[in-house]
Amino acid sequence: MKSFPPYRIQVVKEIPITTRAERAEALSAAAYNMFDVPAAKVTIDLLTDSGTGAVSAAQEAAAAAADRSYAGSDSYYRFRQVVDELTSYPHVFPVHQGRAAERVLFSTVLRAGQISLSNTHFDTTRANVELLGCEARDLPCAEARDLDSAEPFKGNIDLDTLEATLSGPDGQRVGQVLITITNNGGGGQPVSMANLHAVRELCQRYQVPFFLDAARFAENAWLVTEREPGYRHLSPREVAQQAFALADGCVASLKKDGISPMGAFIGLRDPDLAKRSEVNLIATEGFRTYGGMASHDLERVAQGLREVLEPDYLRSRAAETAHLAQLVNAAGVDIVQPAGIHALYLNAGRLLPHIPPSGFPGHALACQLYLEGGIRCAELGSLYLGTFDAEHNLLQPAPFELVRLAIPRRTYTLAHLEYVADVLADIAKNPERVPSYRVVHAPPLLRHFNLKLAQIPA
Ligand code: F0G
């Protein structure tokens, strides 16, 4: 039996339909930087699954009834109840978005010179570690290196390297271990419960705090129930509860699995850490019962966190991504296997062998998807992760040249996704015509948001 979304569409928003000439103009005006293309010129926006999901009638009803009191609003207590049912953290602070949670927590936990270990730090997470004068070190598992392998938990951290680091000369400098579920920087792959158990054991043995970056905790939980023996009989909620219970705390953007336009929270066990984080929070984000969130977003998040764990919802969302993965593979385009849930990661390096890393095949594919179909997505390759010299020439390429098609929650129908696959199939029929790119301007920090590029005709 086919799964289907457990909702129907009640409010819709028109999407822009553009001509190829308009798109070529918009892209060149944006200096080939997707972040500078106005959304009004984008037909299918797969740039991110963050803050872009459709809210439910129940979320909007709750938002309309939100209580705007500065301190101790009803909306805060409703939010707390939902988070308390899910996590066992005694200290919970709302924050306006994930990176603010990172800044507040990391600046309390880490001291300059320390190391943060992770399966993979997301880009803002890495930036928040590095801005404190610390090192963000990724230790992805060995299975992650083979993009084609169907290993079920390629989001795991490499436990041997983790233990070797904790017990070795750098061990004294490790300030935290942060596990990102699912592993967004690592192909959207899930982390197994066995891996989380082992991380907890190592962190306890070496007395290092263990936090989750739980932006996609529900999707990770779903994949655990699907792929990990011993968890199939549990509900996604039960798996998520167990995952939160293993860690000393978390940062969680709620723009993903909170299905909210805005929001995040910090969860903590340690009362001293909580006290110090709270001072930082109040000084920079807001009082502890709103922390920079509007009351209507506290309500949306509280309701969203309930809806996101519904098995029918997660089943249909996973099936939607799997359907797109099938179509993409049938079109002759390889993806990071096996497909996760929030995004597909296309292997652009393999699709466009005529473009060397210095011509940015991932970016070239992303631009082509826009030019030919009005589809916006993001490169995750040498443009994003490579190292450049002062003249913006590529010195060290990224290990893979990928493009992420992020799928907003409850937003596009299968027909939209089939259209995306059609456009991709057209490109894949004749990939040699895709031109390469060169960088003409690159700022030193958070480069990809502010790049300017030029096209080199094929
Ligand atoms: N952690 C992870 C794993 C993320 O994917 C993100 C955001 C954040 C933290 C930061 O959260 O946006 O609420 O400040 N990821 C988005 C993306 C932007 O497109 O993957 P935020």
Side-chain angles (χ1 to χ4, degrees):
M1 190 83 83
K2 280 217 161 90
S3 73
F4 54 84
Y7 48 82
R8 63 179 181 165
I9 298 165
Q10 190 144 306
V11 179
V12 297
K13 180 166 168 58
E14 250 182 281
I15 54 179
I17 310 291
T18 55
T19 63
R20 189 182 166 115
E22 282 172 317
R23 296 193 290 272
E25 158 93 41
L27 193 57
S28 131
Y32 299 96
N33 180 338
M34 287 298 170
F35 291 92
D36 282 334
V37 174
K41 300 280 182 207
V42 176
T43 302
I44 308 278
D45 205 344
L46 307 184
L47 189 65
T48 181
D49 64 321
S50 179
T52 51
V55 288
S56 67
Q59 281 177 294
E60 286 313 274
D67 173 10
R68 293 192 193 148
S69 304
Y70 184 94
S73 74
D74 296 350
S75 301
Y76 167 73
Y77 288 108
R78 278 192 281 275
F79 161 82
R80 263 314 286 264
Q81 192 193 336
V82 174
V83 175
D84 290 349
E85 283 165 13
L86 191 60
T87 77
S88 42
Y89 305 133
H91 309 283
V92 172
F93 303 116
V95 199
H96 84 276
Q97 70 179 96
R99 63 202 73 182
E102 292 160 5
R103 184 185 53 71
V104 169
L105 179 64
F106 299 170
S107 63
T108 312
V109 172
L110 298 174
R111 290 185 315 278
Q114 285 193 311
I115 304 169
S116 170
L117 299 177
S118 179
N119 49 348
T120 310
H121 296 81
F122 176 67
D123 59 5
T124 60
T125 320
R126 167 174 295 278
N128 274 305
V129 169
E130 290 176 352
L131 283 169
L132 292 166
C134 297
E135 182 195 340
R137 197 181 292 177
D138 293 340
L139 310 175
C141 66
E143 292 84 349
R145 265 176 252 140
D146 180 358
L147 301 187
D148 303 313
S149 87
E151 291 291 323
F153 290 106
K154 287 157 80 174
N156 285 351
I157 193 167
D158 186 318
L159 293 169
D160 292 339
T161 317
L162 175 61
E163 177 157 21
T165 311
L166 291 170
S167 63
D170 281 345
Q172 288 304 313
R173 288 202 294 131
V174 176
Q176 66 176 19
V177 175
L178 181 79
I179 302 292
T180 311
I181 56 172
T182 57
N183 191 341
N184 184 21
Q189 299 291 312
V191 176
S192 70
M193 294 300 288
N195 197 249
L196 293 181
H197 273 278
V199 171
R200 175 195 162 90
E201 200 271 308
L202 286 172
C203 286
Q204 280 183 338
R205 187 167 354 133
Y206 292 95
Q207 308 244 299
V208 176
F210 165 27
F211 300 117
L212 293 175
D213 176 346
R216 299 177 181 83
F217 73 94
E219 293 177 357
N220 200 80
W222 178 259
L223 292 171
V224 165
T225 65
E226 292 274 286
R227 298 183 187 176
E228 190 163 358
Y231 290 88
R232 291 182 214 277
H233 64 291
L234 295 184
S235 68
R237 171 178 293 280
E238 288 164 329
V239 174
Q241 285 165 334
Q242 290 189 18
F244 282 117
L246 288 169
D248 298 310
C250 73
V251 284
S253 168
L254 296 172
K255 299 175 70 174
K256 289 83 172 166
D257 278 348
I259 326 186
S260 169
M262 204 42 86
F265 74 94
I266 302 170
L268 289 171
R269 288 191 204 290
D270 180 343
D272 174 59
L273 196 52
K275 265 274 156 288
R276 289 188 290 129
S277 300
E278 188 185 300
V279 172
N280 189 326
L281 178 88
I282 298 175
T284 62
E285 279 281 307
F287 186 63
R288 64 173 166 269
T289 61
Y290 75 92
M293 274 175 83
S295 54
H296 51 80
D297 280 332
L298 280 169
E299 297 278 4
R300 287 193 182 98
V301 153
Q303 178 61 25
L305 285 173
R306 291 209 167 94
E307 294 173 7
V308 79
L309 285 163
E310 285 300 322
D312 286 340
Y313 159 75
L314 284 166
R315 183 179 301 111
S316 88
R317 176 152 164 84
E320 190 180 70
T321 307
H323 181 66
L324 180 61
Q326 253 171 18
L327 297 175
V328 166
N329 285 325
V333 179
D334 291 331
I335 59 165
V336 176
Q337 291 287 357
I341 297 186
H342 84 286
L344 292 186
Y345 295 67
L346 311 179
N347 189 339
R350 193 176 287 164
L351 181 68
L352 305 175
H354 65 289
I355 304 181
S358 59
F360 307 111
H363 188 69
L365 180 57
C367 286
Q368 206 67 18
L369 280 163
Y370 178 71
L371 284 171
E372 299 198 7
I375 299 157
R376 174 156 70 172
C377 52
E379 188 249 22
L380 277 179
S382 291
L383 199 57
Y384 170 57
L385 292 167
T387 51
F388 292 5
D389 69 13
E391 273 77 53
H392 316 312
N393 299 306
L394 185 66
L395 285 179
Q396 172 80 41
F400 305 110
E401 304 294 342
L402 305 178
V403 171
R404 186 183 78 166
L405 302 182
I407 306 172
R409 291 166 186 75
R410 308 193 289 207
T411 302
Y412 292 116
T413 65
L414 282 186
H416 292 116
L417 298 183
E418 285 166 2
Y419 166 76
V420 171
D422 281 353
V423 174
L424 197 54
D426 254 15
I427 297 172
K429 267 184 215 141
N430 195 0
E432 311 76 44
R433 73 199 146 102
V434 176
S436 50
Y437 289 82
R438 69 186 165 81
V439 174
V440 294
H441 169 78
L445 254 185
L446 293 169
R447 178 173 72 203
H448 51 295
F449 294 122
N450 291 311
L451 280 168
K452 292 189 193 310
L453 297 108
Q455 201 178 62
I456 308 171

